[in-house]
Amino acid sequence: MSENVLTHLGLPAFARLSLFVRAPLELWIAAERGRFLPWLPVFIGVGVLLFFAPAREPAPWLGPLIVVIALPPVLLGWNRQLGRAAGLALLALALGFASASLRTHGLPPMPDLPRYAVIASGTVTAVEPLPTGRRMVLSAVRLGDDAPMLRRLRVRIRGTDQQSLMPGDHVTVRALIRPPFAPTYPGGWDLRRDEFFAGLAGGGFALGPVQLAERATTSGIAARWQRFREGVAARIMAVVPGAAGAVAATLLTGINTAISPADRTAFATAGLAHILAVAGLHIGIVMSTVFVAVRFALAQSEWAALRWRIKEMAGIAAILVGAFYMAMTGMHLPIIRSFIMASLVTVGLLAGRRAISMRGLGLAATLLMLFQPEAVAAVSFQMSFSAVLVLVAGYEALQSAQFDAFAHHDGLLGWLRRDLTLVAVTSFLAAAATAPFVAYHFGQVQIYSVLANMLAVPLATFWVLPCGLAALLLMPLHLGFLALRPMGWGCDLLLIVARTVARLPAATISVPPEPLSGLCMASLGLIWLCLWRTRLRLLGVVPLILGVIVMPILTPPAPDILISPDLRIIAFRTRHAVYLEQKGHDDFTLGEWRRFFGNRPVVPLPRDDATAQSGVLCTTDGCLFLATGALLWRAGMPPARCDGVTVIVTAGYLRPPDGRDCLGVPIIDRDRIQASDAIMVRIRNHHADIIADRPSRGTWPWIPSDQDNAP
């Protein structure tokens, strides 16, 4: 009937179609009002990723040029809703690209570090405690008679060196230094990139005692504050020794270098790594504790409650203490991001607005990406923002459903039931939101994370951190021990929870490596699902399932051979076990590789006796893997014959074999590793597909031109 009416009115077909589409579109826009602005940070992030996507660093003039080109569409389309949206999206994308360009081109280049022992002199900017020993960070470093470097250097101090050091001291030390380590496998985590944006040149270890050339005489705020932080950490660990003291020092000062690798692994396995990574949880606990405590204290005075704006005063106190805690824990990227979000929440409460909103989350993400765009590729950025995004969207949906479990009930049991329900729901939503990123970056999923968080989060919220705040207040009176000891007991309980959960059967499940395209698709699906309100958001389930489930299944199988960039570890994966050719101990590399091993036992390769076990034939010259034809060669001279050999791997230098049957057999030796960094090999039908890390990285400032990575 409507079609007949429109036809009778004489409207052309195009106008009728436009009217048919416009009506539901306007209804959808009205229903999604307030949800369009949070998409602008998404386009900023896409712009950042587009800058880092090419194989070569874009020219420095390209970023500003794109911003200039993006401005006219915004102005021309401002009066039309669709034109304004498209123009702003294009401008946001250009701003992300330009911010990444300015940040990358504005940093000093990575220096060429010598590969031998040198005399290094510089100014101490930090002294970090380690589980065994200390490590200092030097600035304005001179290597011998060279000019001062523009980047800082980390140097581990000898365990027997008792030299007293503090920020601002000028020191000299004989040390063996090295550039940042290359990724342990092709496509793996790149420490060189992180240290480039952190202003570091590399690290090393002292070969002799640290010589104090000049005691700190400057009174700069940064140096004095760093000395204060390190002094507080030392006082905490003096009162609370051992692992509990290391955790307490981490929570109050952000200095986490004293935590042992075993405890770090336990927290990560239990799904409690965020407890040790001072960020949103901690700043939220600190500011909410201060807000409640100050408001409660002021409300006890009838005169103050009637005459003062105690809610606003409590909010200002919470923001000030939050800023102090942010500075106390080192003002690193996650804590800055979390403080911005917590401050927006506090201001929203004071203004009578919704405490946490998509707009507030978008504003925090925008500020962070404009000033530190490299964070978009960091796991902390991805996990924290995905968790908050899902929590905001999830609680919006749950509140609209009005579940009785979230309602306030009288009595201790009612309060406890509601609190535990909120903790369980929050833990479940956060675990679900971060699962794709944990799987991509770490190759595993924590099964008992919800259970562990239900125990650990209330413990940290109501015991550990409140005691820590009290200890900081009491330290000027030399009474900090009164609160530090109870805090230490709480940290002991946190350690018990982490260690116990980590020992449970199947605490973690290894998942196949997820491709970057799968992570991007899953991220898009998650964002789409959370940002929209109407049923149109359900379309986000499709890319989410494709990225999390389908694409990992379609990825190539795990490699048959893995070779570390320093040739210290060579791993051969068989059906029943993983065999290692290893020089020294490198737990970090093995930990990174375990995602490829599955549940296979890891055993060393035999070195002497001839054996034929599980399809591996070993002699004094090397080992042949019968199923794949991979040959590990230990002898200095090349093999005389290559019958059944698919690829030859050696830790030394090897010239091509002379045998006729060896023609075309690829060789992976030290020369090839030095030019390629880490290598993985997949063998199918006696054909070796060799994948090197270095060619896939392209040309960027943090990738050294000299690929001599020999240990």
Side-chain angles (χ1 to χ4, degrees), residues 17-79:
L17 179 62
S18 176
L19 185 62
F20 178 78
V21 173
R22 186 185 304 170
L25 180 62
E26 290 178 349
L27 291 175
W28 175 74
I29 291 175
E32 296 287 2
R33 190 172 303 278
R35 291 297 203 183
F36 295 96
L37 195 61
W39 277 96
L40 292 181
V42 177
F43 285 98
I44 293 177
V46 172
V48 172
L49 295 177
L50 287 177
F51 174 82
F52 292 112
R56 182 177 296 273
E57 180 184 20
W61 50 264
L62 186 58
L65 177 63
I66 292 177
V67 175
V68 173
I69 295 175
L71 286 174
V74 178
L75 300 177
L76 294 175
W78 190 260
N79 293 327

Side-chain angles (χ1 to χ4, degrees), residues 30 98 167 192 201 204 264 270 293 360 425 453 462 592 630-631 665 671 677:
R192 300 170 300 189
R264 287 183 187 276
V425 172
N453 278 278
F462 301 110
E592 290 281 291
L631 174 64
V665 176
D671 268 336
D677 289 337

Side-chain angles (χ1 to χ4, degrees), residues 112-119 143 146 174-178 207:
D112 292 329
L113 298 180
R115 309 276 178 170
Y116 47 82
V118 295
I119 302 298
L143 302 179
D146 294 345
R174 185 172 181 266
L176 184 64
I177 59 176
R178 58 201 173 200
L207 299 176

Side-chain angles (χ1 to χ4, degrees), residues 271-561:
L272 298 175
H274 62 95
I275 297 289
L276 301 181
V278 179
L281 173 67
H282 308 76
I283 199 76
I285 294 173
V286 167
M287 293 180 64
S288 60
T289 300
V290 172
F291 182 87
V292 172
V294 171
R295 190 176 184 184
F296 177 80
L298 292 175
Q300 301 311 302
S301 170
E302 183 179 354
W303 187 89
L306 293 176
R307 292 169 175 79
W308 294 351
R309 301 171 66 92
I310 61 174
K311 181 180 178 181
E312 287 76 3
M313 295 175 65
I316 293 173
I319 292 175
L320 292 176
V321 174
F324 171 80
Y325 184 73
M326 175 181 65
M328 190 71 187
T329 51
M331 294 193 68
H332 51 84
L333 179 64
I335 197 68
I336 294 174
R337 176 177 65 242
S338 303
F339 175 70
I340 294 173
M341 279 298 301
S343 298
L344 291 173
V345 169
T346 305
V347 172
L349 284 172
L350 299 181
R353 303 288 295 274
R354 179 181 294 178
I356 303 178
S357 65
M358 290 296 182
R359 289 193 176 190
L361 178 63
L363 178 60
T366 298
L367 293 175
L368 185 62
M369 288 187 290
L370 291 180
F371 288 100
Q372 292 182 314
E374 71 276 6
V376 175
V379 60
S380 62
F381 177 92
Q382 297 168 3
M383 292 181 63
S384 59
F385 271 103
S386 65
V388 177
L389 178 67
V390 171
L391 287 174
V392 173
Y395 274 108
E396 282 183 355
L398 292 173
Q399 287 175 359
S400 62
Q402 297 182 349
F403 288 107
D404 181 68
F406 298 107
H408 292 276
H409 295 278
D410 296 332
L412 178 61
L413 291 179
W415 172 84
L416 185 61
R417 186 185 71 172
R418 179 177 182 271
D419 183 73
L420 290 178
T421 301
L422 289 174
V423 171
V425 172
T426 301
S427 300
F428 174 78
L429 291 176
T434 57
F437 305 97
V438 172
Y440 176 80
H441 291 283
F442 305 110
Q444 60 184 13
V445 176
Q446 294 83 14
I447 300 301
Y448 306 111
S449 61
V450 174
L451 171 64
N453 278 278
M454 288 184 65
L455 298 173
V457 172
L459 186 61
T461 303
F462 301 110
W463 184 344
V464 176
L465 278 173
C467 287
L469 290 176
L472 292 177
L473 290 174
L474 293 173
M475 278 185 185
L477 304 176
H478 301 284
L479 297 175
F481 66 93
L482 295 176
L484 282 177
R485 286 174 181 166
M487 183 185 184
W489 302 334
C491 291
D492 278 325
L493 291 177
L494 286 176
L495 287 163
I496 291 173
V497 170
R499 293 166 179 170
T500 302
V501 173
R503 287 195 295 264
L504 293 176
T508 60
I509 294 180
S510 297
V511 296
E514 183 180 3
L516 180 59
S517 57
L519 181 68
C520 293
M521 187 173 293
S523 302
L524 175 62
L526 191 67
I527 293 171
W528 186 278
L529 190 63
C530 293
L531 285 188
W532 298 128
R533 289 195 189 98
T534 61
R535 292 184 178 180
L536 186 65
R537 65 181 180 181
L538 297 179
L539 293 176
V541 175
V542 177
L544 189 60
I545 293 177
L546 288 175
V548 173
I549 299 176
V550 177
M551 295 192 70
I553 295 176
L554 299 178
T555 55
D560 298 289
I561 306 173

Side-chain angles (χ1 to χ4, degrees), residues 526-663:
L526 191 67
I527 293 171
W528 186 278
L529 190 63
C530 293
L531 285 188
W532 298 128
R533 289 195 189 98
T534 61
R535 292 184 178 180
L536 186 65
R537 65 181 180 181
L538 297 179
L539 293 176
V541 175
V542 177
L544 189 60
I545 293 177
L546 288 175
V548 173
I549 299 176
V550 177
M551 295 192 70
I553 295 176
L554 299 178
T555 55
D560 298 289
I561 306 173
L562 278 172
I563 306 170
S564 67
D566 57 4
L567 272 169
R568 295 181 62 188
I569 305 180
I570 304 174
F572 296 86
R573 188 177 67 93
T574 67
R575 180 177 299 179
H576 304 289
V578 175
Y579 292 91
L580 294 182
E581 179 78 356
Q582 187 173 4
K583 296 180 180 179
H585 296 282
D586 191 350
D587 294 333
F588 174 77
T589 298
L590 287 178
E592 290 281 291
W593 286 4
R594 289 198 183 277
R595 65 170 64 192
F596 302 106
F597 296 166
N599 297 321
R600 297 171 177 82
V602 179
V603 296
L605 276 170
R607 300 201 62 86
D608 297 319
D609 298 333
T611 60
Q613 182 179 355
S614 300
V616 183
L617 179 63
C618 287
T619 67
T620 55
D621 289 335
C623 295
L624 176 64
F625 294 83
L626 302 178
T628 60
L631 174 64
L632 171 69
W633 194 248
R634 297 183 179 129
M637 298 299 294
R641 298 186 59 82
C642 301
D643 293 333
V645 175
T646 305
V647 61
I648 301 174
V649 181
T650 179
Y653 299 96
L654 190 68
R655 62 178 176 82
D658 298 327
R660 180 175 300 178
D661 57 344
C662 294
L663 295 177

